[in-house]
Amino acid sequence: MTAANLLGALGLRVVVVERDAEVYSRARAISTDEEVLRIWQRVGLADRLKQDMLAGRALDFVGTGGRTFLSANPTPRGHGHPPQLFVYQPALEQVLRDGVDRYPGVEVLLRHECLRLRQDAEGAELTVIGPDDQIRRLRARYVIAADGGSSPTRAQLNIGYEGRTYEDRWVVIDTEMLKPWPDHDRLRFRCDPARPAVDCPTPLGHHRWEFPILPGDDERQLTTDEAIHAMVSRYGIDRDGIRILRATVYSHHVRFAARFRLGRVFLAGDAAHAMPPWIGQGMAAGVRDAANLCWKLAAVLRGELPDPVLDTYEAERKPHVKEVTRRAVLVGRIITERRPAVARARDVVLRAGCRVPGLGGRLVDSNWIPVAHYAEGLQARPRTKASGRQIPQPWVTGPDGGPVRLDEVLAGRWLLLHGVVLAPQPAWDRAGVPSLAVLPAGSRPAEGAVVDSEGVLTAWLAAHRVACLALRPDAYVYAGDPAGAPLPPPAGFAPAARAATPITP
């Protein structure tokens, strides 16, 4: 539903085909991060979603003998939201589903399923079956297939889905917390080589446990209440402390679709990639997919950019997804080490590493999610140090003198961001692209400018050696120049019809 909200907010006509009548009741994803909240901020849902999340919780890696060998706190990266948040996915999805009701152009077809998809030069046709076996045919200019790891759409398109499935299967247990226990709101990776476990807080009075199914275990028996209570009792959880809501078994996957686009169809989320859960980025990766793709679709449909721009979706997203997956695999190896001698050495080395100046800070930071930096894709040549990077989102002072998050001023548009001096940009001015000046802290508020109250933007521009930036609607840098020289717009760029209005933060 993230894509539906993003496209609805952009004023596009959207049809969502959803098989289930109700939000899926099982909590699959359990965490997200500040960049994803920044994306949901674009559709006005970030603050509402955060009401149902847990933020600011530390995490522990607990080794052999129950001793913690690494305690960590993620540090903010400047997106304007807490760096890590635990979620209860059914509640989150309900907010996103309710959110599309704000947009008259979005139609949600519940209890419908796509049976067949055909493409031609003008668009795509979906054959959809609904309640009572009613058949309906839909025409669309473009299709986003976010239909899961077993994606029927990907299969119809004959797109390969390569990678591996780990041998271990895990039982995932969602519980309601009846009696809080000490540090119940702290994430613990219990790295016991005998049986590792994930012990994770989730909001709204829930708690998640995950245990591997070991050789010789009876998979069906391990999902019974009796077996679950026996496993969690090792950590001091009494029978009357939790109520077991559900338990299911799944396997970890590392897979990537051979391509994310075929004609007018785009794969997103698990349909395009699957990763192990160790750094909580499965759902987040899908949200990033939607954020990267939706504004480009809107630009092409409005005639602002040509269709080949849509090829940059894969060029930008796939390398980042692969790097996130690589790091998730590395963290998983630390957690799931089964050789006792190696596990003991791990505990000693990492515990000692935390005391080493410099190295200790990096270990304790725990923000292992790589920052997206697009080496290819939609950006001008020659590149600068800032190219392909997303600018931070501090609180700034708007023209009215009040505090506002930067993205509220950027407003999801192409925008020229200048230092104190506005350098002429004739090509962008002719296209009707507005300019925004960044004034240093202590300056008086002014129209067409924001005051960098915290000094974040001024420092970022200086660090990246640019005086003028051309920002894409997703706040990534399309072009930059250290001296404010003219910047080239994208080929075929024609946004004047909707971008000529002045900035009014």
Side-chain angles (χ1 to χ4, degrees), residues 289-326:
D289 290 346
N292 186 284
L293 177 59
C294 286
W295 75 265
K296 295 175 183 176
L297 282 171
V300 171
L301 289 168
R302 290 174 176 144
E304 297 173 0
L305 289 170
D307 177 273
V309 163
L310 299 175
D311 292 332
T312 66
Y313 164 59
E314 178 177 336
E316 293 179 348
R317 286 296 303 135
K318 198 168 192 177
H320 185 249
V321 167
K322 287 192 170 184
E323 177 60 18
V324 172
T325 302
R326 185 187 70 84

Side-chain angles (χ1 to χ4, degrees), residues 27-64:
R28 293 159 293 179
I30 55 175
S31 72
T32 191
D33 61 65
E34 59 190 298
E35 184 187 353
V36 172
L37 263 295
R38 186 177 181 179
I39 292 167
W40 286 326
Q41 180 190 330
R42 295 186 206 170
V43 293
L45 294 178
D47 290 336
R48 170 62 188 89
L49 287 165
K50 285 194 290 188
Q51 293 176 17
D52 296 335
M53 297 180 180
L54 294 175
R57 268 54 177 186
L59 65 90
D60 296 326
F61 288 78
V62 183
T64 55

Side-chain angles (χ1 to χ4, degrees), residues 46-215:
D47 290 336
R48 170 62 188 89
L49 287 165
K50 285 194 290 188
Q51 293 176 17
D52 296 335
M53 297 180 180
L54 294 175
R57 268 54 177 186
L59 65 90
D60 296 326
F61 288 78
V62 183
T64 55
R67 292 184 61 202
T68 297
F69 62 83
L70 174 63
S71 292
N73 276 288
T75 56
R77 286 179 166 169
H79 292 288
H81 298 279
Q84 183 183 53
L85 306 99
F86 295 109
V87 307
Y88 185 61
Q89 189 172 352
L92 183 152
E93 290 190 0
Q94 189 62 59
V95 172
L96 293 176
R97 182 178 287 194
D98 292 344
V100 301
D101 293 341
R102 300 169 295 166
Y103 306 116
V106 179
E107 180 182 5
V108 180
L109 301 179
L110 301 177
R111 299 172 62 197
H112 284 70
E113 192 167 0
C114 181
L115 300 178
R116 187 176 66 175
L117 184 150
R118 301 178 64 181
Q119 301 187 64
D120 55 40
E122 301 300 322
E125 181 181 271
L126 287 73
T127 301
V128 174
I129 187 169
D132 303 322
D133 296 329
Q134 296 175 348
I135 299 295
R136 182 173 177 178
R137 286 180 173 80
L138 305 174
R139 287 285 300 179
R141 292 278 300 278
Y142 295 98
V143 175
I144 301 175
D147 49 352
S150 59
S151 174
T153 305
R154 189 185 63 238
Q156 286 188 57
L157 297 175
N158 198 29
I159 295 176
Y161 197 52
E162 300 175 351
R164 60 171 292 197
T165 295
Y166 284 77
E167 294 180 3
D168 290 342
R169 286 166 63 77
W170 286 65
V171 58
V172 179
I173 305 147
D174 290 317
T175 70
E176 178 185 358
M177 186 172 56
L178 302 178
K179 290 171 40 177
W181 54 88
D183 293 329
H184 63 85
D185 58 352
R186 193 177 183 99
L187 170 62
R188 290 186 177 88
F189 291 117
R190 300 187 179 273
C191 309
D192 184 348
R195 190 190 295 272
V198 177
D199 172 358
C200 182
T202 48
L204 304 177
H206 296 86
H207 202 87
R208 161 75 63 84
W209 299 86
E210 299 182 19
F211 299 95
I213 298 172
L214 304 179

Side-chain angles (χ1 to χ4, degrees), residues 483-494:
L487 304 174
F493 186 57

Side-chain angles (χ1 to χ4, degrees), residues 362-379:
R362 290 196 297 272
L363 290 172
V364 170
D365 174 5
S366 93
N367 208 334
W368 302 300
I369 303 164
V371 175
H373 176 210
Y374 302 144
E376 302 294 335
L378 183 56
Q379 54 189 276

